[in-house]
């Protein structure tokens, strides 16, 4: 089972789900009982009706909160009954996912598996996560990711008890979020003329236009589907850099008189940034308002990373703006801009989050920071009082190759992020002071999609490395070879049943 439970005690006997098995949902558990039926129906075909005498009990008991926390659970399988117990619905949903993993792997498939005995081994599981934030970021801007792929991603990460799907919706190379007030963001900003096929030195291009944008109905469906499975969808709207697609749609948002020729087609980071005049702030406040209407997530991500400052430094109006604001230089317009957008989110009852950069110390501590460069950035942010999500690129960026072997699919250059590296991720290392470690919310993996053009490549990059991150985010105990690798070997048939083809054990 992955992630590995904190405690698993084998018990004698087993319990087999049959056409006669019924559920006995306790008060407040009906939605989770419905989820259990929904998840098991495609493969098993079992009706699992509710009954006061049902042998599968679902129980919410707030008195268990001290022992289990908001996401912990206890799952007990006896010969005559199965009991799922939690203090809150989140924990009960995790118990459902563990029950699915105890069944034969065929239970995870999307088609009937006749003749399979749906037998659960006798066991007593007591389980709770180490970290509250366990996520995956998917970049939909570089290559558009269709809705059905995102829905499957939600199903798969929920099985692994990850609870955040972070959508990178806008960047230099594409804008995927519908904004009614500014329709050109998707009619113009969602399509680029061509796409680079490899590193810049290769000089090869796909000359076909690439584009795509979601409808509001599709995003609401995704948010609802995720919420039913205990996953929060976190939207990211990049600013004040990584905005080439927005500037192609609305050039007046930029600095000076320079106008882009269209949505940026290269990889890397365009030097074009947002202007800092008030109409630009109002524009993005409106964008954030429509974002919050679609996504009930308590957090909204403002991007904020890798923001070039050369345009501000060379532009007289931007330099004057910085001086009027009392900033030491035009470079500080980045954190000033983010601070204004953060104020807007806070006033709406949301929490701003952005990627951590060197000058993050000038951001208010109400900002949660994602430490992506290295763990040291996370420690620095925590010392300054920021909540932190650890996402160091050398262990959590799954767009890097898994091996250096010939034939490895294209990926980011400069490093190999293999399975041991991902499993080595420790969001709050033991040598951190307790106060700083206490500010670590958790960790997440990142899948940037410059080179991800197919569903097969998408899956190959994610799995099984995401299993390793899920394991460490949930259960920090054990050793890689002694504990994780055997659990992964037993888990591979489940991945296969999900339709995921993974690199072999040597990868």
């Amino acid at each position: 089972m992955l992630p590995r439970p904190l405690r698993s005690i084998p018990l004698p006997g087993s319990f087999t789900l049959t056409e006669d098995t019924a559920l006995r949902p306790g008060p407040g558990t009906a939605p989770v009982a419905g989820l259990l039926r929904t998840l098991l129906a495609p493969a098993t075909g079992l009706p699992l009706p509710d009954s006061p005498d049902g042998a599968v009990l679902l129980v919410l008991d707030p008195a268990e909160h001290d022992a289990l926390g908001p996401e912990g659970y206890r799952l007990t399988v006896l010969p005559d009954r199965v009991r799922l117990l939690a203090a809150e619905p989140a924990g009960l949903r995790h118990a459902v996912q563990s029950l699915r993993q105890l069944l034969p792997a065929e239970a995870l498939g999307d088609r009937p598996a006749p003749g399979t005995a749906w037998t659960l081994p006798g066991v007593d599981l007591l389980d709770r996560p180490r970290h509250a934030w366990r996520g995956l970021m998917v970049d939909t801007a570089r290559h558009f990711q269709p809705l059905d792929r995102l829905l499957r991603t939600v199903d798969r990460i929920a099985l692994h008890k990850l609870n955040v799907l972070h959508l990178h919706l806008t960047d230099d190379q594409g804008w995927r979020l519908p904004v009614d007030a500014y329709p050109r963001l998707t009619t113009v900003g969602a399509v680029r003329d061509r796409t680079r096929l490899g590193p810049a030195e290769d000089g090869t291009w796909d000359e076909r236009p690439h584009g795509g944008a979601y409808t509001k109905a599709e995003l609401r469906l995704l948010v609802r589907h995720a919420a039913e499975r205990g996953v929060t969808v976190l939207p990211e709207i990049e600013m004040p850099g990584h905005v080439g697609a927005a500037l192609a749609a609305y050039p007046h948002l930029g600095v000076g008189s320079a106008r882009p020729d269209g949505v940026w087609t290269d990889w890397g980071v365009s030097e074009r940034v947002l202007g800092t005049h008030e109409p630009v702030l109002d524009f993005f406040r409106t964008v954030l308002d429509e974002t919050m209407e679609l996504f009930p997530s308590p957090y909204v991500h403002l991007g904020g990373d890798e923001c070039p400052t050369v345009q501000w430094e060379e532009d007289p109006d931007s330099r004057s703006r910085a001086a009027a604001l009392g900033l030491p230089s035009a470079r500080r317009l980045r954190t000033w801009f983010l601070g204004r957008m953060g104020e807007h989110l806070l006033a709406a009852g949301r929490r701003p989050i952005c990627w951590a950069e060197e000058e993050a110390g000038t951001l208010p501590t109400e900002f949660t920071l994602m430490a992506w460069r290295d763990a040291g950035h996370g420690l620095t942010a925590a010392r300054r009082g920021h909540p932190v999500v650890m996402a160091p690129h050398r262990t959590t960026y799954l767009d890097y190759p898994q091996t250096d072997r010939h034939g490895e699919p294209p990926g980011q250059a400069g490093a190999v992020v293999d399975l041991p590296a991902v499993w080595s991720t420790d969001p709050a290392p033991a040598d951190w002071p307790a106060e700083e470690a206490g500010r670590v919310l958790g960790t997440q993996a990142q899948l940037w999609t410059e080179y991800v053009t197919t569903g097969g490549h998408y899956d190959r990059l994610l799995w099984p490395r995401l299993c390793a991150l899920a394991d460490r985010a949930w259960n920090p105990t054990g050793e890689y070879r002694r504990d994780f690798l055997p659990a992964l070997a037993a888990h591979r048939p489940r991945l296969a049943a999900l339709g995921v083809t993974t690199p072999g054990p040597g990868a």
Side-chain angles (χ1 to χ4, degrees):
M1 180 181 296
L2 286 174
R4 293 167 298 118
L6 287 185
R7 193 193 78 183
S8 177
I9 300 176
L11 298 177
S14 61
F15 184 95
T16 300
L17 303 175
T18 70
E19 291 284 342
D20 298 324
T21 302
L23 308 183
R24 193 192 315 177
T29 69
V32 182
L35 175 64
L36 177 59
R37 270 189 291 269
T38 296
L39 294 175
L40 293 185
T44 71
L46 298 176
L48 300 175
D50 292 348
S51 168
D53 301 317
V56 180
L57 291 72
L58 292 91
V59 180
L60 283 177
D61 185 356
E64 296 288 337
H65 203 281
D66 286 348
L68 300 176
E71 293 191 87
Y73 66 92
R74 187 166 184 175
L75 173 58
T76 308
V77 178
L78 300 171
D80 61 340
R81 67 186 182 277
V82 177
R83 185 172 185 250
L84 294 78
L85 169 69
E88 296 188 21
L92 209 58
R93 285 190 290 263
H94 294 319
V96 164
Q97 300 294 356
S98 290
L99 184 149
R100 294 177 72 205
Q101 292 199 38
L102 289 173
L103 287 166
E106 292 84 355
L108 303 178
D110 59 3
R111 61 192 64 184
T116 304
W118 305 113
T119 299
L120 296 161
V123 71
D124 183 21
L125 299 180
L126 182 66
D127 206 8
R128 63 183 293 173
R130 179 189 184 191
H131 293 292
W133 187 299
R134 306 175 306 279
L136 167 67
M137 188 284 298
V138 175
D139 169 18
T140 69
R142 273 49 174 265
H143 277 98
F144 179 71
Q145 304 302 315
L147 178 66
D148 61 348
R149 189 172 297 158
L150 296 181
L151 292 170
R152 286 195 301 273
T153 299
V154 166
D155 291 340
R156 293 168 180 178
I157 67 173
L159 177 69
H160 293 84
K161 301 182 178 70
L162 299 176
N163 60 0
V164 177
L165 176 63
H166 169 180
L167 291 184
H168 185 81
L169 291 162
T170 72
D171 214 296
D172 287 319
Q173 298 85 0
W175 184 288
R176 312 300 177 202
L177 177 76
V179 179
D180 291 341
Y182 306 119
R184 286 174 58 85
L185 287 171
T186 48
T187 60
V188 175
V191 182
R192 62 177 178 265
D193 291 339
R194 62 179 187 164
T195 297
R196 186 180 288 282
L197 292 178
E201 56 269 21
D202 288 356
T204 55
W205 295 84
D206 180 345
E207 296 293 346
R208 296 171 297 176
H210 175 81
Y214 305 106
T215 67
K216 289 196 169 184
E218 287 175 330
L219 291 174
R220 290 190 179 103
L221 171 61
L222 176 64
V223 167
R224 183 170 63 252
H225 183 86
E228 290 168 354
R229 288 151 180 77
V231 175
T232 297
V233 182
L234 167 69
E236 179 182 355
I237 311 300
E238 274 277 12
M239 60 183 80
H242 285 273
V243 290
L247 295 179
Y250 293 96
H252 70 279
L253 299 173
V255 176
S257 59
R259 295 294 182 262
D261 296 329
V263 176
W264 210 44
T265 58
D266 216 339
W267 302 138
V269 183
S270 168
E271 288 191 350
R272 292 193 173 99
V273 295
L274 294 175
T276 57
H277 38 298
E278 202 60 34
V280 177
L281 300 179
D282 288 339
F283 184 102
F284 276 88
R285 289 183 184 111
T286 299
V287 169
L288 291 176
D289 287 341
E290 294 202 30
T291 302
M292 289 187 283
E293 187 269 331
L294 284 170
F295 298 94
S297 163
Y299 295 88
V300 175
H301 203 300
L302 299 176
D305 59 317
E306 297 178 319
C307 180
T309 60
V310 62
Q311 280 197 324
W312 292 329
E313 292 174 283
E314 294 178 352
D315 175 58
D317 290 339
S318 297
R319 293 199 303 269
S320 296
R321 178 74 154 152
L325 293 167
L327 302 176
S329 73
R331 294 176 60 86
R332 287 293 180 89
L333 286 169
R334 170 191 171 269
T335 49
W336 173 83
F337 191 105
L338 290 170
R340 301 296 75 70
M341 294 299 103
E343 289 173 356
H344 187 70
L345 295 176
L346 290 166
R350 305 297 182 93
R351 302 174 209 167
I353 183 168
C354 69
W355 302 103
E357 291 288 14
E358 293 291 348
E359 76 278 22
T362 61
L363 285 171
T365 54
E366 288 85 357
F367 270 77
T368 296
L369 298 184
M370 280 189 172
W372 68 278
R373 292 189 181 272
D374 57 46
H377 275 72
L379 180 57
T380 298
R383 282 174 175 159
R384 290 169 174 160
H386 292 278
V388 175
V389 176
M390 296 297 290
H393 70 286
R394 288 303 179 97
T395 59
T396 71
Y397 274 35
L398 304 188
D399 49 314
Y400 281 108
Q402 303 186 59
T403 75
D404 57 5
R405 295 199 296 262
H406 179 72
E408 183 74 18
Q412 295 291 352
V416 168
V417 176
D418 58 13
L419 195 61
V422 178
W423 195 84
S424 73
T425 301
D426 188 349
D431 59 353
W432 281 26
E435 185 175 359
E436 283 79 359
R439 295 196 178 102
V440 174
L441 302 180
T443 186
Q444 67 176 40
Q446 280 60 236
L447 182 60
W448 302 103
T449 61
E450 286 91 337
Y451 307 110
V452 182
T453 59
T454 68
H457 191 184
Y458 179 96
D459 285 346
R460 179 182 172 88
L461 290 174
L462 286 182
W463 309 102
R465 290 185 292 181
L466 197 54
C467 297
L469 183 130
D471 190 56
R472 290 290 280 172
W474 183 275
N475 180 353
T477 66
E479 296 179 5
Y480 175 73
R481 293 191 176 278
R482 185 193 68 195
D483 301 299
F484 173 70
L485 284 184
L488 177 61
H491 192 66
R492 285 184 184 273
R494 301 186 191 109
L495 294 175
L498 292 169
V500 175
T501 301
T502 64

